[in-house]
Amino acid sequence: MSISSKSTLKVRYSETDQMGVVHHSNYAKYLEIARIDWISQIGFSYKSMEDDGVMLPVFTLAFKFKKSAFFDDVLTVKTTLKKIPTFRIQFEYQIYNQKDELLTTASTDLVFVDAKTRKPMLCPQPILDKISELY
């Protein structure tokens, strides 16, 4: 079983090139939006987590581009937790357009970091408890 969420966003003109195709650099932003939504949908606030001294920098980021997204497309990003987090949390993503065509797959590894010491830390227990409840 996995914990997934869906986020929807609309491609803005500024995210595209002259041909109306989304520039690849914008996909990292789409994943960030989706991750923050995922955290919110399981009942936590990314801002509160940071206020509590927990940072979550990206450690690895990988994409496979299958089809282009275009200006004004409505994209759905499905975000799935890959496994129970430890000092890192891993997500897999699928990005679809409004025609339900798979455009992109991606994965990220993020590391829990103590904001004061800047050292890796274990996933906060309240998040682990919620994930265990949902898993």
Side-chain angles (χ1 to χ4, degrees):
M1 183 169 199
S2 60
I3 304 169
S4 297
S5 70
K6 289 187 178 178
S7 305
T8 304
L9 55 101
K10 194 168 188 176
V11 175
R12 296 168 289 199
Y13 186 77
S14 64
E15 298 167 341
T16 63
D17 60 20
Q18 276 189 313
M19 297 178 294
V21 175
V22 172
H23 190 270
H24 66 277
S25 64
N26 291 292
Y27 287 85
K29 295 173 191 172
Y30 299 163
L31 300 188
E32 181 177 59
I33 291 165
R35 273 195 310 278
I36 291 170
D37 283 352
W38 184 92
I39 289 169
S40 176
Q41 289 179 30
I42 68 162
F44 292 91
S45 160
Y46 199 92
K47 182 175 182 343
S48 293
M49 193 171 64
E50 286 190 342
D51 289 346
D52 291 340
V54 179
M55 298 170 61
L56 207 49
V58 174
F59 182 65
T60 64
L61 172 65
F63 290 99
K64 288 186 183 172
F65 298 100
K66 299 174 181 299
K67 287 185 155 191
S68 296
F70 298 92
F71 169 61
D72 218 31
D73 278 355
V74 176
L75 304 180
T76 299
V77 183
K78 181 180 178 190
T79 306
T80 304
L81 180 68
K82 193 170 176 181
K83 63 183 184 179
I84 301 287
T86 55
F87 67 94
R88 69 180 179 169
I89 188 166
Q90 299 172 300
F91 293 103
E92 293 178 337
Y93 311 83
Q94 294 85 38
I95 301 176
Y96 297 88
N97 65 13
Q98 65 275 5
K99 297 176 189 171
D100 207 29
E101 297 172 311
L102 179 62
L103 306 179
T104 305
T105 60
S107 63
T108 56
D109 289 0
L110 295 95
V111 177
F112 291 96
V113 172
D114 182 294
K116 289 180 185 170
T117 66
R118 304 280 189 194
K119 294 188 185 238
M121 61 182 281
L122 288 172
C123 177
Q125 194 60 49
I127 295 173
L128 281 175
D129 292 344
K130 184 64 172 183
I131 288 171
S132 295
E133 177 186 312
L134 296 171
Y135 226 63

